[in-house]
C-alpha cells in the first residue's frame, strides 16, 4: 500500500484561497483522469467540499507522487503552485488512512461531528468508480471510511459535539435565540437544489418556517425538491419552485435566504440585496455605507446627518474646570501641568472652555503675573488682546468651545436585520459587501470558520478518536495481509502444478495402476503438500499484517522462486473481481 493524499482545507488555508481553488464537477473529472495518466499514480479519487479539496492516489514513489499531485491540483484549481504550496498538507500510508477516517467521522469538519461529509465521501467514491480511477486500494479505503463514520455516529454521541453546517449557520444568524423560535413562520428562499441546498431546505422545514421557495438554474430539480418537501409527513411547510430570474422578486419578500450553488460567480450582489431591503423598508440603502447614504445628498443623507449630529454629546455649563491651584502661583485659575506641551499658559489652548468670569480672572492674573516670560513667544500685550477677543466671544456664545478634549461621536445604532443571509457555497454565492448593509445579517463560510474555531470538544470526540485509531490499525493489517495473498495463492498454485506433474510421471512408470490406487496416491501427495504449506502460509499472513510486514511477500517469492508475472496475474484477477462486486454493491445501495 502506497496511499498518498495531498490537499488543503479550512484548517490549512484561508477561505479566500479555498474559494479560488474550488473545483467544479468538470474540473474534478479532468483532475482524476490526468492523475491516473501520470506516471506515479495508478488510482485516484478527489474529495472536494465547501471547505476542503483533497486528492487521494495510490503511488509507487512518494516524492514524485507529492510533486505530481501538487502540480495537478494547482493546474486544475487555477491557483498558482507557488501560491498554493504553503497551504497544502501531505499524508502518506497509515497517516493518510487516519486522515480520511477522521474526516468521515466529522473530526476534521468545520463543525465537529457533522454527518454530511459521509454523503460527500460516497459521492467521491462513486465518481471515481464511474471514471474507473478507483482500484482495489481506494475502493477498500473509501468503503471502510464510510463504515467507520457510521460506526462513530451510532456508537458515540459525536452528533452532540456539533451540528450540520446548516444548523450551525442558522444558530449564528439567531444569536441568543432558539433556532426554531427564530425561524418559525419566516418565508425562506433557498437558492440551489443540490445536496447542501436539500439539507438546508429539510432543516428549515423541521425548524418550522412558514414557506420555502426553491430557486435553481434547472427548474425541474427545484420542482422535485419542492415536491419532496411538500410530501414529507413530519412537516406542514409550504414549498414551491421558481426560476432563477424570479430571485430578485422573491428576495423582497423573504426573511431568510440560504444559497449554495455551484456557480463560479456571485449569485447575489450587494446591490441586489440593497434593492430588496430598500423595497421592504422604504429607506435608501447604500452597499458602501448603510442607510441614508445612497447618493450623499437628499432626504436620506440629510436624515443620516441629523441622526449623527443628534448623537453628539453636548458640553454643559456645569462641566467642571481644571483645578485652580498652582502651589506658589495661588491666584492662577489654571493648572499648568494639565496644559499640553508647546502652548503658553496664557495662550488660547489654556483658556479654552472657561466661562466669562473665570476668563476675566485669568486676564487679571496675566497682567500681574510673576511667571518668567523670557521663554514665551507671546508678550503680555498679545495675551491681553487675545483675552479681550475671547471675552467678546463668551458674551455671544456663552462659552469658549473646549478644543483640547473633543467629545467623540456616538455611533448611530444599526437597525434590526430584516433579511438574514446564509451563504454555504464555495466559492461564495453572496457578495461579502452585503454584511455592511443596514438591516442585513450575513453569515458565510468565513464567518462560520471564525465562529467554530473556539468550539469546545465534547468527551465523545475522544471516544471517536479511539475508534479511528483502532480502525486504522485494523485497515492497515488487512491491507498488508491482502498484499501477501497473491503470493500465497501463487505458491499454492505452484505446489499444485508440482503434484500434477509428479502424478503424471508416476503413471508413466506404473502404467498398470488402477483408478482406485491412482486416486489414493494423488490424494496422499496433495495432503502432504497442504500440510507442509499450511503453517508457513498462515504464519506469513500473520507476520505480513504487522507493521513492517510488507517484506515477507518478497521473501516468500525469493525462497520459492515464484514467477513475478504469476503473482501479478493473481493480483489483477482479484482486483477485477473486487471492483465489479463493489460497483454492483454501490449501485444497489444507490
Amino acid at each position: 500500500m502506497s496511499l498518498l493524499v495531498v490537499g488543503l482545507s479550512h484548517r490549512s488555508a484561508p477561505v479566500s484561497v479555498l474559494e479560488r481553488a474550488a473545483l467544479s464537477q468538470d474540473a474534478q473529472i479532468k483532475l482524476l483522469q490526468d492523475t491516473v495518466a501520470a506516471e506515479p499514480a495508478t488510482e485516484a479519487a478527489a474529495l472536494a467540499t465547501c471547505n476542503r479539496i483533497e486528492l487521494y492516489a495510490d503511488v509507487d514513489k512518494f516524492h514524485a507522487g507529492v510533486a505530481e499531485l501538487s502540480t495537478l491540483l494547482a493546474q486544475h484549481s487555477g491557483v498558482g503552485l507557488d501560491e498554493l504550496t504553503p497551504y497544502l498538507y501531505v499524508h502518506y500510508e497509515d497517516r493518510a488512512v487516519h486522515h480520511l477516517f477522521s474526516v468521515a467521522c466529522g473530526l476534521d469538519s468545520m463543525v465537529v461531528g457533522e454527518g454530511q461529509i459521509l454523503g460527500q465521501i460516497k459521492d467521491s467514491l462513486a465518481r471515481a468508480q464511474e471514471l474507473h480511477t478507483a482500484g482495489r486500494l481506494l475502493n477498500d479505503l473509501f468503503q471502510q471510511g464510510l463504515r467507520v463514520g457510521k460506526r462513530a455516529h451510532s456508537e458515540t454521541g459525536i452528533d452532540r459535539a456539533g451540528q450540520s453546517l446548516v444548523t450551525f449557520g442558522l444558530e449564528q444568524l439567531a444569536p441568543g435565540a432558539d433556532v426554531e423560535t427564530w425561524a418559525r413562520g419566516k418565508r425562506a428562499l433557498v437558492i440551489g437544489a443540490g445536496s447542501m441546498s436539500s439539507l438546508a431546505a429539510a432543516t428549515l422545514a423541521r425548524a418550522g418556517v412558514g414557506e420555502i421557495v426553491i430557486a435553481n438554474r434547472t427548474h425541474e430539480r427545484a420542482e422535485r425538491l419542492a415536491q419532496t418537501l411538500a410530501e414529507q409527513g413530519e412537516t406542514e411547510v409550504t414549498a414551491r419552485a421558481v426560476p432563477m430570474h424570479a430571485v430578485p422578486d422573491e428576495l423582497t419578500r423573504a426573511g431568510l435566504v440560504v444559497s449554495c450553488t455551484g456557480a463560479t460567480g456571485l449569485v447575489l450582489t450587494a446591490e441586489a440585496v440593497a434593492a430588496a431591503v430598500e423595497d421592504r423598508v422604504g429607506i435608501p440603502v447604500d452597499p458602501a455605507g448603510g442607510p441614508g447614504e445612497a447618493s450623499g445628498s437628499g432626504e436620506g443623507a440629510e436624515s443620516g446627518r441629523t441622526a449623527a449630529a443628534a448623537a453628539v454629546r453636548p458640553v454643559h455649563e456645569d462641566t467642571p474646570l481644571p483645578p485652580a491651584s498652582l502651589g506658589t502661583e495661588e491666584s492662577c485659575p489654571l493648572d499648568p501641568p494639565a496644559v499640553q506641551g508647546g502652548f503658553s499658559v496664557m495662550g488660547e489652548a489654556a483658556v479654552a472652555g472657561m466661562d466669562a468670569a473665570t476668563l476675566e480672572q485669568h486676564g487679571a492674573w496675566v497682567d500681574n503675573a510673576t511667571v518668567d516670560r523670557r521663554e514665551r513667544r507671546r508678550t503680555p500685550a498679545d495675551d491681553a488682546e487675545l483675552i479681550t477677543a475671547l471675552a467678546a466671544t463668551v458674551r455671544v456664545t456663552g462659552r469658549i468651545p473646549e478644543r483640547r478634549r473633543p467629545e467623540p461621536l456616538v455611533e448611530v445604532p444599526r437597525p434590526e436585520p430584516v433579511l438574514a443571509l446564509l451563504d454555504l457555497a464555495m466559492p461564495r454565492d453572496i457578495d461579502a459587501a452585503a454584511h455592511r448593509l443596514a438591516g442585513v445579517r450575513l453569515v458565510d463560510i468565513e464567518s462560520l470558520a471564525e465562529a467554530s474555531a473556539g468550539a469546545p470538544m465534547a468527551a465523545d470526540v475522544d471516544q471517536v478518536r479511539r475508534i479511528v485509531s483502532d480502525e486504522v490499525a485494523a485497515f492497515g493489517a488487512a491491507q498488508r495481509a491482502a498484499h501477501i495473498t497473491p503470493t500465497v495463492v501463487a505458491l499454492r498454485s505452484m505446489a499444485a502444478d508440482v503434484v500434477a506433474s509428479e502424478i503424471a510421471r508416476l503413471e508413466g512408470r506404473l502404467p498398470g495402476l488402477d483408478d482406485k490406487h491412482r486416486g489414493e496416491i494423488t490424494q496422499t501427495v496433495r495432503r502432504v503438500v497442504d500440510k507442509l504449506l499450511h503453517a508457513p502460509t498462515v504464519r506469513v499472513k500473520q507476520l505480513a499484517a504487522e507493521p513492517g510486514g510488507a517484506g515477507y511477500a518478497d521473501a516468500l517469492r525469493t525462497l520459492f522462486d515464484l514467477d513475478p508475472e504469476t503473482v501479478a496475474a493473481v493480483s489483477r484477477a482479484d482486483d477485477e473481481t473486487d471492483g465489479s462486486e463493489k460497483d454492483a454493491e454501490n449501485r444497489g445501495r444507490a
Side-chain angles (χ1 to χ4, degrees), residues 45 51 87 128 140 203 209 310 356 376 554 588:
N51 54 20
Y87 305 111
D140 289 348
T203 303
V209 296
R376 302 184 190 132
D554 296 333

Side-chain angles (χ1 to χ4, degrees), residues 122 129-130 579-590:
K122 184 176 181 180
Q129 289 174 339
E130 291 172 3
S580 60
E581 290 177 352
K582 286 177 172 115
D583 286 346
E585 181 183 359
N586 287 335
R587 285 193 297 270
R589 289 180 178 178

Side-chain angles (χ1 to χ4, degrees), residues 312-367:
V312 178
R313 184 159 60 92
V315 179
H316 299 288
E317 288 294 332
D318 56 356
T319 303
L321 292 172
S325 174
L326 267 177
T328 57
E329 309 289 346
E330 295 180 356
S331 60
C332 181
L334 183 69
D335 182 7
V339 181
Q340 297 180 4
F343 289 93
S344 166
V345 293
M346 293 171 293
E348 182 180 359
V351 297
M354 293 184 180
D355 56 20
T358 307
L359 189 62
E360 291 178 0
Q361 178 187 358
H362 184 68
W365 176 82
V366 170
D367 289 338

Side-chain angles (χ1 to χ4, degrees), residues 420-492:
L421 306 174
L422 178 57
D423 185 359
L424 300 176
M426 182 65 70
R428 70 182 75 235
D429 280 347
I430 303 175
D431 191 347
H435 84 280
R436 294 198 297 266
L437 299 175
V440 174
R441 168 81 167 142
L442 171 63
V443 171
D444 55 16
I445 293 295
E446 189 167 8
S447 57
L448 286 176
E450 295 174 355
S452 63
M457 303 296 286
D460 294 301
V461 172
D462 292 333
Q463 186 178 353
V464 172
R465 285 174 174 161
R466 288 192 292 271
I467 290 176
V468 169
S469 297
D470 293 343
E471 291 286 353
V472 169
F475 182 83
Q479 288 296 311
R480 288 187 290 269
H483 180 68
I484 203 172
T485 297
T487 304
V488 172
V489 172
L491 174 61
R492 288 189 172 275

Side-chain angles (χ1 to χ4, degrees), residues 153-240:
H153 284 279
S154 63
E155 295 183 9
T156 73
I158 187 66
D159 293 328
R160 296 192 299 267
Q163 312 82 18
S164 71
L165 204 59
V166 177
T167 304
F168 189 62
L170 293 176
E171 288 183 351
Q172 302 309 304
L173 286 172
D178 179 68
V179 171
E180 293 186 0
T181 302
W182 174 81
R184 185 174 296 115
K186 289 185 183 294
R187 177 176 290 166
L189 171 62
V190 177
I191 305 177
S195 58
M196 178 70 83
S197 299
S198 300
L199 175 63
T203 303
L204 292 172
R206 290 193 299 269
V209 296
E211 181 185 24
I212 298 178
V213 180
I214 311 294
N216 191 56
R217 183 177 57 182
T218 305
H219 189 60
E220 291 75 13
R221 294 190 64 182
E223 288 181 329
R224 284 199 299 270
L225 178 55
Q227 183 178 2
T228 300
L229 293 172
E231 292 175 351
Q232 288 180 347
E234 58 187 33
T235 64
E236 298 179 356
V237 66
T238 300
R240 59 187 174 89

